[in-house]
């Protein structure tokens, strides 16, 4: 069974930084694509960043240059480091895992979510 356990998050002022963590089972970590998403109240869930099994990363434009996805192979953990946070970054953040051919939303597995609040 796929397990993704998130930690981190919290409240910060605009311009501040936070780091989210997502611990995965070893099989998932080694073979799946891992991604970070967020969902703000009243909005659809949006993709932010992803990292493939080879460590290649991708980002959406709104967070590129501010957010960094990385992995710690010794801990089977993927991180999302968020810098220069803005009030519009306030949302519930989720990590997710999928295999190469799956769709994130229809075939992926999800962490429990963690809240990030950015005040102005």
């Amino acid at each position: 069974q796929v397990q993704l356990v998130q930690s981190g998050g919290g409240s910060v002022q605009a311009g501040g930084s936070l780091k989210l963590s997502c611990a995965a089972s070893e099989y998932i970590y080694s073979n799946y694509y891992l991604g970070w998403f967020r969902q703000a109240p009243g909005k659809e869930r949006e993709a932010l960043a992803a990292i493939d099994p080879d460590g290649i990363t991708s980002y959406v434009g709104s967070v590129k240059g501010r957010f960094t996805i990385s992995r710690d192979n010794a801990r089977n953990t993927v991180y999302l480091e968020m810098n220069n946070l803005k009030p519009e970054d306030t949302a519930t953040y989720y990590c997710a895992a999928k295999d190469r051919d799956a769709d994130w939303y229809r075939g992926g597995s999800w962490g429990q979510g963690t809240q990030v609040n950015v005040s102005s």
Side-chain angles (χ1 to χ4, degrees):
Q1 186 176 359
V2 175
Q3 288 188 330
L4 299 171
V5 179
Q6 296 180 225
S7 59
S11 297
V12 67
Q13 289 189 327
S17 299
L18 286 171
K19 190 172 185 177
L20 308 181
S21 302
C22 176
S25 62
E26 184 173 356
Y27 177 81
I28 294 300
Y29 185 87
S30 300
N31 296 283
Y32 278 44
Y33 288 67
L34 296 164
W36 286 97
F37 295 69
R38 69 185 178 192
Q39 187 166 19
K43 295 188 177 181
E44 293 186 354
R45 192 168 298 189
E46 63 171 333
L48 301 176
I51 187 166
D52 75 5
D54 296 320
I56 297 172
T57 60
S58 60
Y59 300 90
V60 296
S62 62
V63 304
K64 199 169 186 178
R66 298 191 298 125
F67 292 9
T68 302
I69 188 170
S70 62
R71 61 199 301 162
D72 182 338
N73 293 338
R75 292 180 170 82
N76 292 346
T77 300
V78 176
Y79 302 98
L80 185 68
E81 185 167 2
M82 305 181 292
N83 296 313
N84 190 23
L85 283 161
K86 304 175 182 180
E88 52 263 42
D89 294 318
T90 294
T92 302
Y93 284 69
Y94 298 89
C95 66
K98 73 173 190 77
D99 66 24
R100 180 183 298 272
D101 298 322
D103 178 85
W104 289 105
Y105 297 99
R106 287 190 288 270
S109 298
W110 295 83
Q112 80 275 21
T114 187
Q115 183 66 33
V116 170
N117 296 311
V118 184
S119 58
S120 57

